[in-house]
């Protein structure tokens, strides 16, 4: 389990905090979705958690051990997929994975099998300099899985991928959860966060504005509407009434010839806007 408590980070030491008082935990066998617009502080948190940025204030614990004192053994236990792919461009995809696998002192997965899983089998022997952005991203993702990490960090794993590949990557992320990994997923895609996360945190301007299961966020912040299709004067008509307006809803339903009823749930995107007052996509 990963526990983050009261983390603050000030890049320039001038009292301007990129992230403030961040606390949450990620259990093994679960996916924690960190959702927020560009500049919210997502990568800052991921970099502090993985030890890339020295921790200034607060604490990050891995199964009770502080990130401050982690030794090289920790490297064997984590997998990190960065937003910017950092691959060896003069090597092929297969060579990149083989080189990376050799750095670990734990059993690693077969590079060729991994390439197959992310749809890069055909491109295994191409140099990275000839890879497209999406191919590089898939390779970076595959690389993060090679040591079967106990803690997996994924920064925007599906952005810019075609829908079919994105589905494949989603399945692979769920598999990581099923084998017991603690997955920290950073994204500005509410759809991805909603589909995969056990817990979602809304990050905005360096603070967590809300945090819960996607279902609970919808229950608490999402107003549900009822869409009523009814017949009047021989024609089908439609009306939308918020579910909490019980009296209006019952009165309306009692007086029309109802054809269909739908209850529609707010999306995480709408809830994000309601909680933070800010669009997720900006
Ligand atoms: P996100 O990943 O959510 O897009 P970041 O963590 O990259 O957000 O950035 C959070 C804030 O910290 C932004 O205001 C950004 O400008 C600032 N920031 C990020 N990296 C640095 C840096 N190396 N030096 C100074 N400020 C930074
Ligand atoms: Mg980022």
């Amino acid at each position: 389990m990963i526990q983050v408590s009261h983390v603050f980070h000030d890049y320039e030491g001038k009292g301007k905090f990129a992230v403030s008082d961040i606390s949450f935990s990620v259990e093994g066998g679960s996916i924690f979705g960190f959702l927020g617009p560009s500049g919210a502080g997502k990568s800052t948190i991921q970099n502090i958690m993985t030890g890339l940025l020295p921790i200034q204030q607060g604490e990050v614990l891995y199964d009770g051990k502080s990130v401050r004192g982690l030794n090289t053994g920790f490297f064997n236990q984590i997998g990190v997929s960065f937003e910017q792919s950092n691959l060896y461009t003069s090597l092929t995809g297969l060579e990149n994975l083989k080189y990376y696998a050799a750095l670990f002192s734990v059993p690693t997965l077969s590079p060729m099998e991994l390439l197959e899983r992310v749809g890069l089998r055909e491109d295994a022997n191409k140099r990275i300099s000839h890879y497209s952005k999406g191919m590089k991203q898939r390779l970076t993702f595959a690389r993060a899985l090679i040591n079967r990490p106990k803690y997996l960090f994924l920064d925007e794993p599906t952005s810019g991928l075609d829908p079919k590949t994105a589905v494949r990557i989603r399945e692979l992320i769920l598999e990581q959860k099923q084998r017991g990994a603690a997955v920290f997923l950073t994204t500005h895609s509410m759809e991805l966060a909603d589909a995969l996360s056990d817990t979602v945190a809304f990050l905005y301007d360096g603070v967590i504005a809300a945090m819960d299961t996607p279902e609970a966020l919808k229950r608490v912040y999402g107003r549900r509407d009822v869409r009523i299709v009814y017949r009047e004067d021989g024609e089908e008509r439609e009306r939308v009434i918020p579910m909490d307006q019980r009296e209006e809803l019952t009165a309306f339903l009692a007086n029309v010839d109802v054809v269909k009823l739908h209850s529609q749930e707010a999306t995480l995107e709408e809830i994000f806007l309601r909680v933070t007052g800010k669009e997720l996509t900006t």
Side-chain angles (χ1 to χ4, degrees), residues 143-172:
R143 196 183 61 177
L145 308 184
I146 208 157
N147 55 325
R148 295 171 49 82
K150 186 172 180 187
Y151 313 107
L152 179 62
F153 294 86
L154 302 172
D155 202 347
E156 304 283 0
T158 61
S159 72
L161 296 183
D162 66 86
K164 215 175 114 204
T165 314
V167 167
R168 200 185 284 204
I169 299 294
R170 273 187 193 200
E171 283 166 6
L172 274 169

Side-chain angles (χ1 to χ4, degrees), residues 1 8 20-22 44 74 79 97 120 122 124 142 156-157 168 200 208 212 218 229 231 241 249 261 270-271 277:
M1 165 151 131
F8 291 72
S20 299
D21 205 14
I22 302 293
T44 301
F74 176 60
L97 290 191
L120 288 174
E122 314 270 281
E156 304 283 0
R168 200 185 284 204
V200 167
I208 292 178
D212 216 321
K218 287 175 192 168
V229 181
R231 202 184 311 279
I241 301 176
L249 190 59
L261 272 181
E270 287 160 357
I271 297 170

Side-chain angles (χ1 to χ4, degrees), residues 3-22:
Q3 286 165 288
V4 175
S5 39
H6 307 294
V7 165
F8 291 72
H9 197 84
D10 176 357
Y11 279 101
E12 282 154 1
K14 291 179 183 161
K16 189 173 162 280
F17 290 91
V19 295
S20 299
D21 205 14
I22 302 293

Side-chain angles (χ1 to χ4, degrees), residues 22-278:
I22 302 293
S23 300
F24 61 87
S25 56
V26 192
E27 309 258 356
S30 80
I31 301 178
F32 186 89
F34 217 48
L35 197 61
S38 172
K42 303 184 295 298
S43 298
T44 301
I45 296 293
Q46 174 168 314
N47 292 342
I48 292 170
M49 290 172 80
T50 53
L52 219 65
L53 269 179
I55 185 164
Q56 295 176 342
Q57 207 178 321
E59 188 58 280
V60 176
L61 302 174
Y62 288 90
D63 293 330
K65 291 198 198 93
S66 172
V67 71
R68 295 167 205 267
L70 290 172
N71 51 27
T72 47
F74 176 60
F75 177 71
N76 285 318
Q77 296 194 307
I78 69 164
V80 186
S81 177
F82 297 97
E83 209 176 349
Q84 251 84 37
S85 59
N86 47 346
L87 301 159
Y88 292 100
T89 51
S90 58
L91 300 183
T92 67
L94 184 60
E95 286 166 348
N96 262 278
L97 290 191
K98 282 185 177 165
Y99 175 81
Y100 199 67
L103 300 176
F104 294 98
S105 51
V106 287
T108 47
L109 299 173
S110 141
M112 207 56 197
E113 247 167 67
L114 260 180
L115 287 171
E116 169 94 56
R117 294 300 307 275
V118 298
L120 288 174
R121 180 178 244 292
E122 314 270 281
D123 306 295
N125 297 312
K126 251 187 217 161
R127 285 178 202 276
I128 303 307
S129 48
H130 297 296
Y131 269 33
S132 70
K133 193 161 176 277
M135 288 160 71
K136 284 186 209 159
Q137 202 180 341
R138 279 183 276 157
L139 187 65
T140 309
F141 174 78
R143 196 183 61 177
L145 308 184
I146 208 157
N147 55 325
R148 295 171 49 82
K150 186 172 180 187
Y151 313 107
L152 179 62
F153 294 86
L154 302 172
D155 202 347
E156 304 283 0
T158 61
S159 72
L161 296 183
D162 66 86
K164 215 175 114 204
T165 314
V167 167
R168 200 185 284 204
I169 299 294
R170 273 187 193 200
E171 283 166 6
L172 274 169
I173 297 174
L174 283 174
E175 253 175 53
Q176 304 308 308
K177 161 184 161 161
Q178 279 146 13
R179 71 166 176 83
V183 183
F184 181 74
L185 169 71
T186 286
T187 181
H188 68 273
S189 158
M190 72 80 203
E191 207 204 334
L192 184 72
D194 195 359
L196 295 184
S197 310
D198 296 287
T199 305
V200 167
F202 286 166
L203 189 73
Y204 178 64
D205 239 352
V207 299
I208 292 178
M211 176 164 64
D212 216 321
T213 63
E215 297 73 33
L217 287 171
K218 287 175 192 168
R219 200 166 54 236
V220 175
Y221 299 101
R223 188 188 65 174
R224 293 177 70 122
D225 290 328
V226 182
R227 191 160 65 88
I228 306 141
V229 181
Y230 61 100
R231 202 184 311 279
E232 195 175 63
D233 304 327
E235 268 178 49
E236 279 193 10
R237 299 198 173 156
E238 209 179 282
R239 168 119 191 247
V240 176
I241 301 176
M243 204 174 290
D244 55 9
Q245 292 178 20
R246 288 291 167 92
E247 279 178 28
E248 188 184 348
L249 190 59
T250 6
F252 186 79
L253 288 175
N255 289 304
V256 292
D257 177 13
V258 177
V259 179
K260 258 187 256 169
L261 272 181
H262 300 276
S263 87
Q264 38 194 39
E265 207 169 41
T267 63
L268 276 191
E269 183 125 37
E270 287 160 357
I271 297 170
F272 191 92
L273 178 63
R274 241 168 255 173
V275 172
T276 66
K278 187 84 183 162

